[in-house]
Amino acid sequence: MPAITDAVRTPAFSVPLAALLSRDDLALRLAVAPDVPGLVIHGAHASEMSDPYPYLLGGELLLTAGLHIAERTGTAAGEGDLPCSGEADDLSDYFDDYVRRVVAAGGAALGFGLAPVHDTVPRALVAACERHGLPLLEVPPQTTFAAVARAVWQLMAQARLEELRRVSHAQQSLVTAASSPDPVPSVLRRLAARLGGWAALYGSRGTEIMSAGREPPEAGRVALADLACLLIDHTSSTATDTIGGVHLSAYALGAGEDDLVLGFATEHRESGDQTIASVGAVLLALLTGGRHGDTGAARTSALVRLLLGAGPEEVAPLLGGQEWVVVHARPDSGVVDPAAAGRLGAALGSALVDAAGGVGGAAGAGGGGDVVRILLPACHETSRQPGWTLGVSAPVAPRHWAAAEAQAARALTRALGTRTALVSHTASDVLIHLATDAGSEAQAHAVLAPVQAVPALAGTLRTWLSLHGSWDRTAAALSVHRNTVRQRISRCADLLNADLDDPDIRMALWFALRRASAGCGSTPS
């Protein structure tokens, strides 16, 4: 039965048992080696419990020195000191139960230390591991369990680093494909190659539009089409299934019945495959626009309407998104390459890219022809991009796009001045701007609106600033407790998203209050 999910589960990073055995510094010996190809472990855990079942998550290398065995037999010696056959038979049953519980808990392998309790691995334990198919490692006296655990974590960290590199290279490859002359087939081919399987794009009712890569068996192909239909009929964004050892996954590229679905069929699923598939889904969603490749037509229609007098809020629905951010970006090389600008837009999640942002001075404080401007739906998180310095506006409605561009320009100037890869616009930036920008009463009202909506907060803030931040004097002036003043000022700081401990912010806020009051015909006391 296919699983409809909000996110495709990613396997945890694992370590091949063979890699651990190959470490010369550990000198581990495989005493029991079941025929399990590609055996991996997900961690190491030491326990002397006679029943470790409740403490295992699954996939661990369980390490034990056999103390629980010595406690059961009343001896601290090795197996050769076991007194009689009756007790040996009883110990055999004990080992059988012990190994069975480890296997039931999902333990991947058992490591038995030859010090300080035992000098050999008990034969009954070897026999039990052979019966239940549990790999058994002999840990020599000179190797501590801490050294084994550290080696496991080192190998896991190395695996994670290699996987991150693989994902990074795949992302760069996909973004390059998205900027090619025929982007959708190019992205599909790259996805199929990077995931080592088959990638397909489906329309309504599971109709296959195009595909790339190694085709799965017919049963898998039919099941993947059914999975695509399942997503079209539901509100979930992803779904997974497995047919005959083939892993199937599907990603909705939109929320409507006419939107497309991206499907994958792979024989193997690595830890970074979900990230690669998700990047591909985002790129294809941008390229197809949920309208079977009609993104260009939608942008053209929006441009025509703007030229004929329509306002931004009227054309924004054609582009997708309710709130937007403006991004100003400057390449570290100092020279804008249109292809690189397109790749930057795709990486951020937008096809609305202006590679000549400085024309006519439109780039503001961050201006010049070396600035790229990007209009990005606010639902896409803006992250640092290698080789670029970014300034990001606050999320705004389309009617405030012009103000957002000024915010992005100031943020870019700040980023360049502080040598920071990404700076986002904050309320503090607005306040500093208000302190130096004459004729900004309307903007002051907009910034202070959350506080001015509550007269008690506005009055307390105004009085507190006029008394240079004195809690006691403000409390006396307002006839309230000083803790009430603290609570109100803290609430103002939260509403304004500003650090009121910063004297520059206090000064700017005072000027903003004066400008806002001037617009109302009054002056703060």
Side-chain angles (χ1 to χ4, degrees):
M1 182 70 182
I4 299 179
T5 61
D6 289 328
V8 179
R9 187 175 180 178
T10 305
F13 288 98
S14 58
V15 173
L17 186 59
L20 191 65
L21 291 168
S22 66
R23 292 279 295 251
D24 293 335
D25 57 324
L26 300 179
L28 303 176
R29 186 182 72 86
L30 194 59
V32 175
D35 185 16
V36 181
L39 184 65
V40 297
I41 56 177
H42 296 277
H45 176 66
S47 173
E48 297 302 331
M49 303 292 293
S50 59
D51 181 14
Y53 182 94
Y55 309 100
L56 297 180
L57 298 175
E60 298 95 343
L61 166 63
L62 177 63
L63 300 168
T64 177
L67 181 60
H68 54 98
I69 304 168
E71 291 175 346
R72 182 175 182 84
T73 60
T75 177
E79 182 188 12
D81 293 324
L82 295 178
C84 64
S85 61
E87 292 186 7
D89 291 340
D90 179 60
L91 199 57
S92 178
D93 292 338
Y94 172 78
F95 278 131
D96 193 80
D97 289 340
Y98 177 79
V99 173
R100 178 177 54 81
R101 292 286 285 172
V102 172
V103 172
L110 180 66
F112 193 87
L114 299 186
V117 182
H118 299 268
D119 52 15
T120 62
V121 180
R123 287 192 297 273
L125 178 59
V126 174
C129 288
E130 289 176 341
R131 280 194 300 274
H132 292 281
L134 181 67
L136 177 62
L137 282 65
E138 181 184 283
V139 184
Q142 70 272 17
T143 301
T144 64
F145 287 172
V148 175
R150 181 164 54 188
V152 170
W153 295 119
Q154 287 174 345
L155 289 170
M156 291 181 70
Q158 181 181 347
R160 175 177 175 80
L161 179 60
E162 291 175 353
E163 194 64 22
L164 288 175
R165 287 173 177 166
R166 183 177 80 92
V167 171
S168 177
H169 292 158
Q171 289 177 330
Q172 295 174 7
S173 174
L174 290 172
V175 170
T176 301
S179 61
S180 66
D182 198 11
V184 175
S186 296
V187 170
L188 273 183
R189 287 193 295 269
R190 296 287 177 91
L191 281 171
R194 292 289 177 174
L195 298 178
W198 192 57
L201 203 58
Y202 296 93
S204 59
R205 296 179 298 279
T207 304
E208 183 182 318
I209 298 176
M210 64 180 68
S211 62
R214 186 174 62 255
E215 293 187 13
E218 184 63 24
R221 190 166 182 167
V222 172
L224 188 56
D226 292 340
L227 207 61
C229 290
L230 197 64
L231 277 189
I232 293 171
D233 294 336
H234 294 76
T235 57
S236 298
S237 58
T238 62
T240 60
D241 200 0
T242 301
I243 299 292
V246 177
H247 300 285
L248 309 177
S249 57
Y251 295 75
L253 303 185
E257 293 183 357
D258 294 331
D259 286 308
L260 306 180
V261 173
L262 173 64
F264 299 101
T266 58
E267 295 181 357
H268 305 285
R269 183 174 293 167
E270 303 296 336
S271 57
D273 287 351
Q274 178 192 344
T275 302
I276 296 172
S278 298
V279 170
V282 170
L283 289 173
L284 288 173
L286 292 170
L287 292 170
T288 60
R291 297 176 180 273
H292 308 278
D294 201 29
T295 304
R299 290 202 301 270
T300 301
S301 177
L303 175 60
V304 170
R305 295 189 189 190
L306 280 172
L307 293 174
L308 294 179
E313 62 275 11
E314 298 177 57
V315 302
L318 293 173
L319 305 173
Q322 299 299 317
E323 285 198 324
W324 302 76
V325 297
V326 175
V327 179
H328 278 207
R330 177 172 289 177
D332 294 346
S333 64
V335 179
V336 171
D337 174 16
R343 290 194 293 270
L344 174 65
L348 293 176
S350 177
L352 302 173
V353 179
D354 174 18
V359 175
D370 55 353
V371 173
V372 175
R373 299 185 297 172
I374 301 172
L375 191 59
L376 179 68
C379 58
H380 293 279
E381 181 179 355
T382 307
S383 59
R384 299 183 180 188
Q385 299 297 321
W388 294 88
T389 301
L390 306 180
V392 185
S393 76
V396 298
R399 64 179 180 276
H400 297 309
W401 278 348
E405 180 168 22
Q407 294 174 4
R410 289 195 297 270
L412 177 59
T413 299
R414 185 176 170 190
L416 293 169
T418 58
R419 299 178 182 272
T420 305
L422 185 150
V423 169
S424 295
H425 171 84
T426 65
S428 299
D429 299 323
V430 175
L431 296 174
I432 296 295
H433 176 63
L434 290 176
T436 57
D437 184 18
S440 54
E441 292 84 0
Q443 193 172 1
H445 274 298
V447 171
L448 296 171
V451 171
Q452 290 178 325
V454 184
L457 293 181
T460 301
L461 178 61
R462 186 179 297 112
T463 303
W464 181 73
L465 289 172
S466 70
L467 296 174
H468 309 291
S470 171
W471 306 109
D472 292 330
R473 292 169 61 192
T474 302
L478 297 176
S479 300
V480 298
H481 195 277
R482 70 192 308 272
N483 287 345
T484 301
V485 177
R486 287 184 177 276
Q487 292 171 358
R488 290 179 181 177
I489 296 302
S490 176
R491 179 61 177 155
C492 290
D494 290 339
L495 291 174
L496 295 171
N497 189 26
D499 180 10
L500 298 187
D501 291 329
D502 187 334
D504 289 336
I505 297 301
R506 291 190 192 183
M507 177 196 69
L509 187 57
W510 175 251
F511 278 103
L513 283 167
R514 291 183 64 87
R515 294 190 189 284
S517 299
C520 297
S522 61
T523 303
S525 57

